[in-house]
């Protein structure tokens, strides 16, 4: 059991640190180029979800290495949210953004691989290999959808004000509102479906 806890903690520590290093590298490179705009940088769903996921992984590593009681139900809810956001990040990138030049989305090629491929896979794998003690009820998990909805509203409102959008499929200068609405509904359906899938996962015997 102790060995397993160390393996889980090591896994989370490694990928948590990898996520932090990728985001930090992006900032450093953009600052060096003189193109770092904090408000824009932190308006990418990819950046926000990766920061959140890295924080949850690092906290999870701490919990496994400490002598504290088992993780709380609240922690599992927050961790489940992280899994959803990273899964959405990976899927949306694969479906809508993978055809773009990596330099358009990230300042460094390896960051693109980490943020859009490795981290989503690592976070989802952590959930499957180390599921919550008890199955999360879908009713409780629906709160996970609040953030993507708020993010969409924020992106469209801010984009209309400053004339900048983080993703091409949300850019009203390039797409009609009907097209954006259709894509948004599609993403919402994907997120809701993933939420259901995530809540089906529980520890064996729990």
């Amino acid at each position: 059991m102790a060995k397993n806890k160390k393996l889980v903690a090591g896994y989370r520590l490694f990928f948590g640190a990898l996520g932090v290093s990728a985001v930090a590298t992006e900032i450093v490179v953009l600052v060096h180029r003189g193109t770092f705009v904090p408000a824009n940088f932190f308006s990418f769903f990819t950046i926000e979800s990766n920061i959140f996921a890295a924080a949850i992984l690092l906290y999870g590593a701490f919990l496994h290495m400490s002598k504290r009681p088992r993780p709380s139900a609240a922690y599992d809810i927050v961790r489940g949210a992280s899994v959803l956001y990273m899964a959405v990040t990976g899927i949306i990138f694969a479906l809508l953004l993978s055809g773009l030049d990596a330099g358009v989305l990230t300042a460094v090629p390896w960051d693109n691989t980490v943020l859009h491929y490795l981290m989503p896979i690592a976070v989802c794998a952590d959930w499957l290999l180390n599921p919550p003690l008890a199955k999360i009820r879908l009713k409780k998990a629906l709160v996970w959808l609040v953030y993507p909805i708020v993010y969409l509203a924020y992106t469209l409102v801010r984009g209309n004000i400053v004339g900048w959008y983080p993703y091409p499929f949300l850019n009203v200068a390039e797409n009609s509102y009907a097209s954006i609405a259709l894509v948004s509904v599609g993403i919402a359906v994907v997120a809701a479906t993933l939420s259901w899938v995530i809540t089906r996962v529980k520890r064996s015997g729990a």
Side-chain angles (χ1 to χ4, degrees), residues 70-86:
R70 68 185 187 182
S72 65
Y75 168 73
D76 286 335
I77 290 290
V78 175
R79 184 177 163 224
S82 170
V83 176
L84 173 63
Y85 304 152
M86 289 307 295

Side-chain angles (χ1 to χ4, degrees), residues 45 83-93 95-96 138 144-145 148 182-198:
F45 188 89
V83 176
L84 173 63
Y85 304 152
M86 289 307 295
V88 168
T89 294
I91 291 173
I92 298 307
F93 175 80
L95 294 178
L96 301 176
L138 181 59
W144 297 341
L145 301 179
L182 183 62
V183 171
S184 299
V185 170
I187 293 175
V189 171
V190 170
T193 302
L194 287 172
S195 296
W196 180 84
V197 172
I198 292 170

